[in-house]
Amino acid sequence: MIKIFRDYAVSDILSREIDDYGEYEEVVKGILADVRARGDEALKEYGKKFDGAELDSLEVTEEEFAAAEGALSEDYKRVVRTSAENIAAFHSRQVREGFEVRKDGVLLGQKYTPLSVAGVYVPGGTASYPSTVLMDIIPAKIAGVGQVIMVTPVKADGKVKPEILYAAKVAGADRVFKTGGAQAIAALAYGTQTVPRADVIVGPGNIYVALAKKLVYGTVNIDMIAGPSEILVIADGKSDPVFVAADLLSQAEHDKLASAVLVTDSERLAEAVQAEVERQLCGMEREEIARASIENNGKIIVCESIEKAVEISNEIAPEHLEVCVDDPVSLLPEIKNAGSIFLGRYTPEALGDYYAGPNHTLPTGGSARFSSPLSVDNFVKRSSYICYTRGGLESAAEDVIKFAESEGLCGHANSVKVRLNKA
């Protein structure tokens, strides 16, 4: 049963701990080194070991894409295309433009350059997520990335689920490879005979994937280290306990480590939601997972006001935040720390997972205090540029020389002096 906290300290009831990768680290390091050394051969061996699949080829063929599309209903494919259109419409507004400043013989500017290769990891564990395919590939394509490649585990028959392949086609993936786990991250980080080396790796995964991304960062860029899913619901006494319970369980079903938290100013709502969560749990398709999540990480916090609830939410910094009050927009300026914010009683988090348009690859574990959702920005780099005429250099020379000499870097100073015959 989900626990209710009336006397609380947020730091005491949060179950987040510093990630302990110790028992996994040596295994992941071994996989990374093996793939770096042996490439495709190692990927095929790990595919057999972990997925039970004998793979002749790692790359998905056009015939496999066509078969996947043919296996799906027209209505399902329409839904995927509509979601893709919504995601593209939102992310298209994120495209940045460079700028230039010109004054007295000086040109300063900043430009954005798309990355050459982006690697997208799509998990295939307890559930498959074509929505993640759309969310991670579409921003890369909008950014203008030269080549977007996707990696994902296969089933024992060596096939990728048709929903995943169709989403990859709709999103615009250039190539798809049948490999998952830490070995897939290694392939993207170092390249193999078949898999191109990526400039950035994005997408969620299990602890082996998360640790692999952490270990290869620096060789390649990454989006974030994604942890278990989280939802926090701020709700007042007018909220429907059936709605609130359903939203808490929508995240609890992801993972036994997922967390679902309600913060409310209503004792009555707290007790009603507690009972309703228990009622809805019974008979859920993923009841075992959801129940473990609720019992271990589910919490209801009763506080004195909705304003206090916002303070608590900011301290927790949840991945998903729902604000179930009459005028949620009025609270938006006070919400400082959240990955994605869902405003109003008829905006369930599921809208963001699949359909609305904003990205669902979000900061977890409290990292919403300092980081942001996946966006077009993850797939571009910015460079600054400087151009001085002789006159521009003359106007700045004495200041630059003085600054350089104050740091004891006479060579820096001399590079200015020689241009103005002052050496």
Side-chain angles (χ1 to χ4, degrees):
M1 179 174 288
I2 192 167
K3 302 177 184 68
I4 298 177
F5 293 81
R6 298 173 179 86
D7 297 313
Y8 61 88
V10 172
S11 58
D12 292 338
I13 66 173
L14 284 177
S15 58
R16 294 169 179 155
E17 298 177 357
I18 296 173
D19 292 318
D20 181 9
Y21 292 124
E23 62 180 294
Y24 306 98
E25 188 162 349
E26 290 308 312
V27 172
V28 172
K29 283 182 176 179
I31 292 172
L32 295 177
D34 191 21
V35 173
R36 190 172 193 176
R38 298 195 297 127
D40 288 354
E41 182 182 359
L43 293 180
K44 291 178 181 179
E45 288 182 12
Y46 287 121
K48 182 177 182 180
K49 179 178 180 180
F50 296 126
D51 302 321
E54 293 273 5
L55 297 174
D56 295 325
S57 173
L58 291 168
E59 187 164 4
V60 174
T61 65
E62 288 300 322
E63 291 75 17
E64 288 174 294
F65 277 110
E69 183 172 354
L72 301 171
S73 72
E74 291 302 319
D75 194 49
Y76 176 80
K77 290 186 284 190
R78 176 192 60 77
V79 170
V80 171
R81 292 194 300 270
T82 302
S83 296
E85 290 168 3
N86 293 344
I87 294 164
F90 181 86
H91 288 81
S92 293
R93 301 181 71 89
Q94 297 177 338
V95 176
R96 295 179 182 267
E97 295 183 359
F99 62 84
E100 287 188 349
V101 178
R102 296 174 182 267
K103 184 179 179 181
D104 300 332
V106 177
L107 168 64
L108 306 177
Q110 180 172 282
K111 75 184 192 77
Y112 289 89
T113 305
L115 301 180
S116 296
V117 181
V120 174
Y121 185 91
V122 176
T126 58
S128 62
Y129 301 110
S131 56
T132 295
V133 178
L134 302 179
M135 293 287 181
D136 290 1
I137 293 177
I138 290 172
K141 299 298 289 187
I142 289 171
V145 170
Q147 187 176 36
V148 181
I149 57 178
M150 188 182 98
V151 293
T152 189
V154 294
K155 299 180 290 182
D157 61 5
K159 296 180 180 179
V160 179
K161 291 183 179 180
E163 294 84 355
I164 296 291
L165 286 187
Y166 183 69
K169 179 178 180 180
V170 169
D174 294 293
R175 302 175 72 183
V176 177
F177 297 95
K178 303 175 182 180
T179 182
Q183 60 272 24
I185 301 302
L188 293 174
Y190 307 124
T192 72
Q193 295 88 341
T194 301
V195 183
R197 178 181 177 180
D199 301 309
V200 64
I201 301 173
V202 305
N206 63 18
I207 192 168
Y208 294 96
V209 171
L211 179 55
K213 286 172 69 177
K214 183 177 182 180
L215 291 173
V216 300
Y217 175 65
T219 298
V220 59
N221 198 12
I222 62 172
D223 53 348
M224 62 188 76
I225 306 295
S229 188
E230 307 166 347
I231 187 169
L232 188 147
V233 179
I234 294 173
D236 62 15
K238 298 179 184 179
S239 298
D240 189 327
V242 175
F243 293 3
V244 175
D247 292 351
L248 295 174
L249 291 172
S250 73
Q251 294 308 295
E253 73 172 349
H254 266 297
D255 189 323
K256 291 180 179 181
L257 298 177
S259 67
V261 177
L262 165 63
V263 187
T264 180
D265 62 348
S266 169
E267 182 79 31
R268 181 197 60 79
L269 180 70
E271 294 176 353
V273 170
Q274 184 182 51
E276 185 62 27
V277 165
E278 193 61 28
R279 187 189 70 78
Q280 291 187 28
L281 267 172
C282 296
M284 279 186 70
E285 187 172 337
R286 293 166 67 85
E287 179 181 350
E288 181 185 359
I289 292 171
R291 187 173 294 278
S293 167
I294 287 296
E295 291 180 353
N296 294 327
N297 304 310
K299 298 172 179 69
I300 299 174
I301 302 172
V302 181
C303 62
E304 59 267 30
S305 67
I306 290 299
E307 290 71 25
K308 181 63 177 178
V310 173
E311 290 181 22
I312 292 170
S313 176
N314 282 334
E315 186 172 350
I316 293 174
E319 178 188 17
H320 306 99
L321 170 63
E322 290 188 9
V323 185
C324 300
V325 299
D326 285 339
D327 185 13
V329 176
S330 69
L331 295 176
L332 196 54
E334 305 309 315
I335 296 169
K336 308 299 183 185
N337 302 326
S340 191
I341 304 165
F342 301 80
L343 300 171
R345 305 186 201 280
Y346 290 90
T347 315
E349 185 278 333
L351 282 170
D353 271 351
Y354 301 113
Y355 196 78
N359 211 282
H360 80 194
T361 301
L362 303 168
T364 60
S367 60
R369 291 184 301 109
F370 53 81
S371 59
S372 306
L374 188 76
S375 73
V376 169
D377 287 344
N378 290 91
F379 301 100
V380 297
K381 57 186 178 180
R382 63 181 184 271
S383 303
S384 57
Y385 53 92
I386 304 168
C387 180
Y388 274 58
T389 63
R390 180 181 178 87
L393 179 62
E394 286 175 343
S395 67
E398 292 303 322
D399 287 349
V400 176
I401 291 168
K402 189 173 295 184
F403 215 143
E405 290 178 344
S406 77
E407 293 187 349
L409 297 176
C410 296
H412 283 62
N414 189 59
S415 69
V416 175
K417 292 176 179 179
V418 295
R419 284 173 167 77
L420 302 178
N421 300 317
K422 294 185 178 182

